[in-house]
Amino acid sequence: MWTRQHRQRNTGRLIVPAISTVFLSYFGFHAYHGEYGIYSKYQLEARVAEFEGRLGEIRAQRIELERRVQLLHDGTLEKDMLDEQARKALNLSHEDEITIMRPSHGQN
């Protein structure tokens, strides 16, 4: 009786590790570079730090504006502040310009 003997191939043993390697590579790549990955976390932390810095600047501007508005409230109206605001609104002087008021020709 003739029997057929099959030679065992090594390719069958490599299929499961190869598929596992592909899946681990795919998920590993997306764990680092994905939308919620490690790299994205560092980018978000950098953006948070940038926005916190900008928030500090904006808060300082707000405090300065609130102080200037307080000067314009009734009872505390300052003529210099009013003159400065009028000149800015009418575009008669620049921010870095020093304005010196001179009397007109008819007055001493």
Side-chain angles (χ1 to χ4, degrees):
M1 171 187 262
W2 289 86
T3 59
R4 189 178 250 187
Q5 295 180 356
H6 293 284
R7 195 171 125 207
Q8 291 185 354
R9 297 181 181 158
N10 290 334
T11 56
R13 294 179 189 169
L14 296 177
I15 291 176
V16 172
I19 291 174
S20 299
T21 303
V22 169
F23 280 125
L24 287 175
S25 299
Y26 175 79
F27 289 116
F29 176 81
H30 287 287
Y32 185 76
H33 292 290
E35 185 176 350
Y36 299 106
I38 297 168
Y39 183 67
S40 297
K41 176 185 172 187
Y42 293 133
Q43 285 181 329
L44 286 175
E45 288 174 354
R47 287 185 65 195
V48 165
E50 175 188 345
F51 287 141
E52 284 177 350
R54 288 178 54 193
L55 178 63
E57 293 173 7
I58 292 172
R59 282 184 177 159
Q61 288 175 356
R62 179 180 175 185
I63 290 171
E64 176 63 22
L65 287 173
E66 286 177 352
R67 185 190 65 79
R68 293 173 66 100
V69 166
Q70 188 66 29
L71 292 175
L72 293 175
H73 280 249
D74 56 333
T76 61
L77 187 64
E78 292 186 13
K79 291 182 182 180
D80 290 336
M81 178 62 83
L82 183 62
D83 181 56
E84 179 184 341
Q85 295 298 322
R87 286 188 165 276
K88 280 187 179 180
L90 297 174
N91 199 21
L92 294 175
S93 64
H94 299 292
E95 291 180 22
D96 58 346
E97 183 177 345
I98 297 174
T99 304
I100 300 174
M101 303 297 286
R102 295 185 334 177
S104 61
H105 294 293
Q107 297 176 352
N108 284 334

